[in-house]
Amino acid sequence: MAGMSFFIDTTRCTACRGCQIACKNWNQNGAGMTKNLGSHQNPPDLDENTFKLVRFSESEVNGKPVWYFFADQCRHCLEPPCKDAIAGYVDGGVIHDEETGAVVYTEKSKEAPIDDVRGACPYDIPRARQDGRIVKCTMCLDRVKNGLIPACVKVCPTEAMNFGTRESMLELAQKRLAYLKAKYPKAQLLDPDEVRVIYLVVDDPAKYHSHAVASLGSGIDRKLALRRLFRPAKTLAQSFRLV
Ligand code: SF4
Ligand code: SF4
């Protein structure tokens, strides 16, 4: 099952933050306390009310300043380590939708500790609400199941955000990459074989965001270790229920 994917072309992003607002609006996420840290990025990080955040960074290329924008969100990993982390504590805390590949947390996720779930994510995405429920982007699964595209993609005015079948998004991503490579030798797709949210950048990923690719953060490399760590906890819980 190939499912669905996003393709995010950062070279087309103008940091209008329409996607960030549309996400907040569709998910009925309220406003939270924030502060201006002296850059365009606001709030400073993802939080329980912000599932999508346009990250802003300033860099230098050939002695000239450049701005990089990175519309950060859950990558809907093909094999999500967060799912294994939650499953180590509770059954049914995560839905991994067969048709689309979306990874969606349920109310039961509050039974898993946020530190373990967030630590398992190679992209530092999950956040906890006051009541302990763990939250993040849902791929707008309610919209997608009804034939609509995710809210963030719908509002993007520049076609930086794209959504469709995995096959079509990979094809579009490869086409844009081939085009941009001529001018930007460092152009690359980020972890395209691991995730359903495929970013295209034209410089070192670390210049965009510290968790732009899995290898820069806690890493998908931790996946197997975490599985070994959490599976026994689940087995133990199940055996208590059997007694
Ligand atoms: S990006 Fe993180 S939160 Fe999203 S599916 Fe992957 S591991 Fe889970
Ligand atoms: S809506 Fe599109 S152009 Fe605007 S910040 Fe989001 S990705 Fe960038």
Side-chain angles (χ1 to χ4, degrees):
M1 191 279 302
M4 307 299 282
S5 286
F6 295 79
F7 167 52
I8 303 181
D9 184 346
T10 64
T11 66
R12 290 188 186 275
C13 180
T14 61
C16 71
R17 294 194 289 204
C19 54
Q20 188 175 315
I21 300 302
C23 174
K24 191 179 269 285
N25 188 33
W26 184 256
N27 289 291
Q28 299 185 310
N29 284 340
M33 287 298 292
T34 185
K35 57 185 172 187
N36 192 322
L37 294 180
S39 95
H40 187 71
Q41 184 177 317
N42 202 339
D45 200 2
L46 294 170
D47 59 42
E48 70 272 23
N49 289 312
T50 308
F51 302 165
K52 178 144 189 113
L53 175 68
V54 180
R55 298 189 182 276
F56 174 96
S57 58
E58 201 167 293
S59 197
E60 196 178 294
V61 174
N62 299 327
K64 292 182 182 168
V66 290
W67 289 347
Y68 289 141
F69 309 131
F70 192 86
D72 196 17
Q73 64 170 89
C74 168
R75 312 300 200 273
H76 296 278
C77 302
L78 300 186
E79 292 183 47
C82 63
K83 180 181 164 189
D84 294 332
I86 292 177
Y89 291 93
V90 59
D91 287 328
V94 184
I95 295 166
H96 196 180
D97 183 60
E98 202 172 316
E99 186 186 358
T100 61
V103 179
V104 181
Y105 300 158
T106 73
E107 191 73 22
K108 285 186 175 181
S109 65
K110 63 173 64 164
E111 293 179 39
I114 180 60
D115 287 351
D116 285 351
V117 180
R118 185 171 168 180
C121 174
Y123 304 99
D124 191 34
I125 298 295
R127 298 291 189 272
R129 288 203 161 130
Q130 296 276 325
D131 67 357
R133 180 170 179 167
I134 305 176
V135 292
K136 65 168 189 65
C137 160
T138 64
M139 196 191 271
C140 282
L141 193 56
D142 47 353
R143 291 175 60 92
V144 174
K145 289 284 188 183
N146 284 287
L148 302 173
I149 57 176
C152 56
V153 182
K154 179 75 179 170
V155 301
C156 180
T158 64
E159 296 185 7
M161 297 286 312
N162 302 272
F163 183 79
T165 62
R166 181 160 178 78
E167 188 183 22
S168 68
M169 289 301 102
L170 283 169
E171 191 180 322
L172 180 60
Q174 290 295 350
K175 199 169 153 191
R176 278 294 289 169
L177 177 64
Y179 175 76
L180 288 162
K181 267 279 187 194
K183 186 172 178 188
Y184 304 99
K186 288 184 178 176
Q188 58 191 283
L189 302 177
L190 305 185
D191 301 335
D193 299 329
E194 305 281 355
V195 298
R196 290 187 184 278
V197 181
I198 302 158
Y199 289 86
L200 170 60
V201 299
V202 293
D203 204 342
D204 294 333
K207 289 186 180 176
Y208 290 75
H209 170 41
S210 58
H211 290 86
V213 291
S215 57
L216 293 174
S218 52
I220 220 156
D221 296 342
R222 292 183 62 200
K223 184 171 58 180
L224 292 178
L226 279 158
R227 277 185 175 156
R228 276 185 218 113
L229 183 67
F230 286 114
R231 284 260 159 84
K234 184 183 177 187
T235 308
L236 189 64
Q238 282 172 339
S239 50
F240 269 113
R241 277 197 289 274
L242 288 173
V243 173

